């Protein structure tokens, strides 16, 4: 039985608690928040969970094995460091830390103490991403050409991080999981329309070896909510529209073939292939529930995790490089 404490029960923390309570492999022991009203809310739902305003009670408790850190990004490092130093495994919200130096320090502490860091890259555990990964792994999409993701809506404007740090961790973690390739460099541009120094529109391009390219569009100032990802390969193309209630993933047997031409003027001819489209069946299990099962499995069986601290650090490295690129109006930054 994995005994759990949760620090931070604002908007997202209660979702973690609900899933820890529901999982037969975890025991939800204690939670903490600086705001009394959030603790009262949790207490009204789950009277057996201990509540505290002091995170040290969770960190120092001998009854807790894993601490979930669900507080604002700038607090992740200090809280995770204290938890690891006290010998606890951690599940840190995305993005893992505010800087890659902080992320590296956490990874070092975890290694020294033989502890595991998990980062809540929730989308990796959705049925849609699982199905797309399966198609890619089976070779059905062919050689990958591009990953193109749009995550735009109106708000919520954050005060401490820009739109890229807020929304793109989802897309970057999905991209990293699906493409299974090491990024070479990034180029990013963005704009701040409030004059707050925090960009509310940002476009990120990530270059990989073998001509593979990714583009991520994030925006808090869009009149419509779009959650759409296109992935193209040499054999098939995938469209994932997460706003659709059903048939979220569509696989198109469309593409191009280059054929040699006898004609001197047109040496290369492009032939278009437009075949069938199919919608694969998607597992409807809640992603957070699947993620918790994965964490239990990794801890019990010493498996490598797909949401390890290393994966979290890669996301932070890309965000950091993107931030640097935005500030220099799109300079290419090596990863
Ligand atoms: N995985 C996802 O899909 C997902 C979705 C939303 C948010 N998040 C992440 O979750 C984290 C929290 O986001 P949120 O939207 O819930 O924020 P929030 O502001 O609603 O909640 C954060 C809570 O942490 C508490 N807190 C801050 N410092 C604390 C401390 N030192 N000790 C105890 N409590 C403390 C605050 O009082 C607040 O109630 C962020 O990292 C965010 O990126 C992830």
């Amino acid at each position: 039985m994995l005994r759990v404490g949760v620090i931070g029960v604002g908007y997202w923390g209660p979702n973690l608690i609900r899933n820890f309570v529901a999982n037969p492999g975890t025991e939800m022991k204690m939670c903490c928040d600086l705001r009394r009203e959030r603790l009262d809310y949790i207490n009204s739902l789950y009277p057996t969970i201990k509540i505290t305003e002091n995170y040290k009670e969770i960190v120092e408790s001998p009854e807790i094995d894993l601490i979930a850190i669900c507080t604002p990004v700038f607090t992740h490092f200090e809280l995770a460091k204290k938890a690891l130093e006290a010998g606890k495994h951690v599940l840190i919200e995305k993005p893992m830390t505010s800087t890659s130096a902080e992320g590296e320090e956490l990874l070092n502490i975890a290694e020294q103490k033989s502890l595991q860091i998990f980062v809540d890259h929730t989308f990796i555990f959705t049925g849609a991403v699982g199905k797309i990964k399966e198609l890619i792994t089976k070779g059905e999409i062919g050689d990958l050409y591009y990953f193109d993701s749009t995550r735009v809506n109106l708000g919520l404007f954050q005060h401490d991080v820009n739109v890229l740090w807020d929304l793109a961790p989802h897309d970057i973690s999905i991209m990293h999981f699906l493409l299974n390739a090491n990024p070479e460099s990034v180029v990013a541009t963005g704009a701040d329309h409030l004059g707050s120094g925090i960009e509310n529109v940002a476009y990120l391009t990530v270059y990989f070896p073998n001509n593979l390219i990714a583009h991520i569009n994030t925006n808090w100032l869009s009149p419509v909510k779009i959650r759409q990802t296109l992935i193209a390969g040499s054999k098939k193309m995938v469209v994932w529209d997460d706003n659709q209630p059903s048939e979220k993933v569509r696989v198109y047997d469309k593409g191009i073939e280059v054929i040699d031409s006898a004609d001197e003027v047109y040496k290369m001819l492009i032939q278009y292939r437009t075949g069938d489209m199919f919608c694969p069946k998607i597992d409807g299990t809640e992603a957070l529930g699947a993620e918790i099962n994965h964490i239990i499995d990794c801890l019990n069986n010493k498996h490598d995790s797909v949401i390890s601290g290393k994966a979290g650090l890669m996301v932070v490295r890309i965000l950091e490089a993107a931030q640097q690129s935005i500030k220099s109006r799109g300079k290419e930054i090596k990863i």
Side-chain angles (χ1 to χ4, degrees), residues 187-190 324-331:
V187 165
T189 50
Q324 207 183 330
S325 182
I326 287 175
K327 294 303 177 199
S328 55
R329 289 203 147 209
K331 190 176 164 210

Coordinates of all heavy atoms in Angstrom, one line a residue, residues 187-190 324-331:
V187 N 13.1 27.2 -31.7 CA 12.9 28.6 -32.1 C 11.5 29.0 -31.5 O 10.6 28.2 -31.7 CB 12.9 28.7 -33.6 CG1 12.4 30.1 -34.0 CG2 14.3 28.6 -34.1
A188 N 11.4 30.1 -30.8 CA 10.1 30.5 -30.3 C 9.9 32.0 -30.5 O 10.8 32.8 -30.4 CB 10.0 30.1 -28.9
T189 N 8.6 32.4 -30.7 CA 8.3 33.8 -30.7 C 7.0 33.9 -29.9 O 6.3 33.0 -29.6 CB 8.0 34.2 -32.2 OG1 7.1 33.3 -32.8 CG2 9.2 34.3 -33.0
G190 N 6.8 35.2 -29.5 CA 5.6 35.4 -28.7 C 5.3 36.9 -28.5 O 6.1 37.7 -28.9
Q324 N 14.2 31.9 -23.8 CA 15.4 32.6 -24.3 C 15.2 33.0 -25.8 O 15.5 34.2 -26.1 CB 16.6 31.6 -24.2 CG 17.9 32.3 -24.0 CD 19.0 31.2 -24.0 OE1 18.8 30.1 -23.6 NE2 20.2 31.6 -24.5
S325 N 14.6 32.1 -26.6 CA 14.4 32.5 -28.0 C 13.4 33.6 -28.1 O 13.5 34.5 -28.9 CB 14.0 31.2 -28.7 OG 13.8 31.4 -30.1
I326 N 12.3 33.5 -27.3 CA 11.3 34.5 -27.4 C 11.9 35.9 -27.1 O 11.6 36.9 -27.8 CB 10.1 34.2 -26.4 CG1 9.3 33.1 -26.9 CG2 9.2 35.5 -26.2 CD1 8.2 32.6 -25.9
K327 N 12.7 36.0 -26.1 CA 13.3 37.3 -25.7 C 14.2 37.8 -26.8 O 14.5 39.0 -26.8 CB 14.0 37.1 -24.3 CG 13.0 36.8 -23.2 CD 11.9 37.8 -23.0 CE 11.0 37.5 -21.9 NZ 9.6 38.2 -22.0
S328 N 14.7 36.9 -27.7 CA 15.6 37.4 -28.7 C 14.9 37.3 -30.1 O 15.5 37.1 -31.1 CB 16.9 36.7 -28.7 OG 16.7 35.3 -28.8
R329 N 13.6 37.4 -30.0 CA 12.7 37.4 -31.2 C 13.0 36.3 -32.2 O 13.2 36.5 -33.4 CB 12.8 38.8 -31.9 CG 12.2 39.9 -31.2 CD 11.8 41.0 -32.0 NE 10.6 41.7 -31.6 CZ 9.8 42.3 -32.3 NH1 9.9 42.4 -33.6 NH2 8.7 42.9 -31.8
G330 N 13.1 35.1 -31.6 CA 13.1 33.9 -32.5 C 14.5 33.4 -32.8 O 14.7 32.7 -33.8
K331 N 15.5 33.7 -32.0 CA 16.8 33.1 -32.2 C 16.8 31.6 -32.0 O 16.1 31.1 -31.1 CB 17.8 33.8 -31.2 CG 19.3 33.5 -31.5 CD 20.2 34.3 -30.6 CE 21.5 33.7 -30.6 NZ 22.2 33.8 -29.4

